[in-house]
Amino acid sequence: MRVEILGQERRRLWRDEQKLEIVMSVGIDGATITEVAQRHDVTRQQIYTWRSELKKKGLLSSSANAVFVPVDMNAVQTEICGDRQHSTGMIELQLGCGRSLRFDSTLDGATLTRLIRAVEAA
């Protein structure tokens, strides 16, 4: 019996660095797993599998699935200094392994997400 494959072969080999980049892009600028999967032409399940694989290999922190709680930045107090007003909204975030991260309340969400992931990966 002879089998002939018609069309493009779908099996691709992904390096760990590529998998990590794809898995870490979930949540950046609000990207969902579905959007990331579609962007890279993989299934959502593949991303979940890679996430689990990378955690087992120690390449991905188990806290990469951290949930962010919305904070009302308008509630941050301001001080009047002379004729200028400036924010006093320093925020401290307790991370895993006893780490803490302090940042100004004006830091945008995407930058904060990348920063937390970088600190937790170290």
Side-chain angles (χ1 to χ4, degrees), residues 7 9 11 16 18-19 22 26 29 33 45 47 52 54 59 62-63 65 73 79 82 87 100 103 105 109 117 120 122:
E9 185 178 343
R11 186 173 186 117
D16 284 342
Q18 292 171 309
K19 293 176 186 179
I22 291 170
V26 174
D29 296 327
I33 287 187
Q45 184 57 43
I47 293 177
S52 176
L54 292 167
L59 298 173
S62 59
S63 63
N65 297 335
M73 295 305 206
E79 287 181 5
S87 173
S100 65
F103 53 93
S105 63
R117 287 182 173 168
E120 285 293 303

Side-chain angles (χ1 to χ4, degrees), residues 14 26 88 97 109:
W14 297 88
V26 174
T88 61
C97 299

Side-chain angles (χ1 to χ4, degrees), residues 6 10 22 31 38 71-72 100 104 106 111 118:
L6 301 175
R10 295 285 300 160
I22 291 170
Q38 289 171 349
V71 175
D72 181 10
S100 65
D104 188 80
T106 59
T111 303

Side-chain angles (χ1 to χ4, degrees), residues 22 25-26 28 30-42:
I22 291 170
S25 67
V26 174
I28 301 291
T32 64
I33 287 187
T34 301
E35 292 167 344
V36 172
Q38 289 171 349
R39 188 180 319 140
H40 296 283
D41 196 27
V42 297

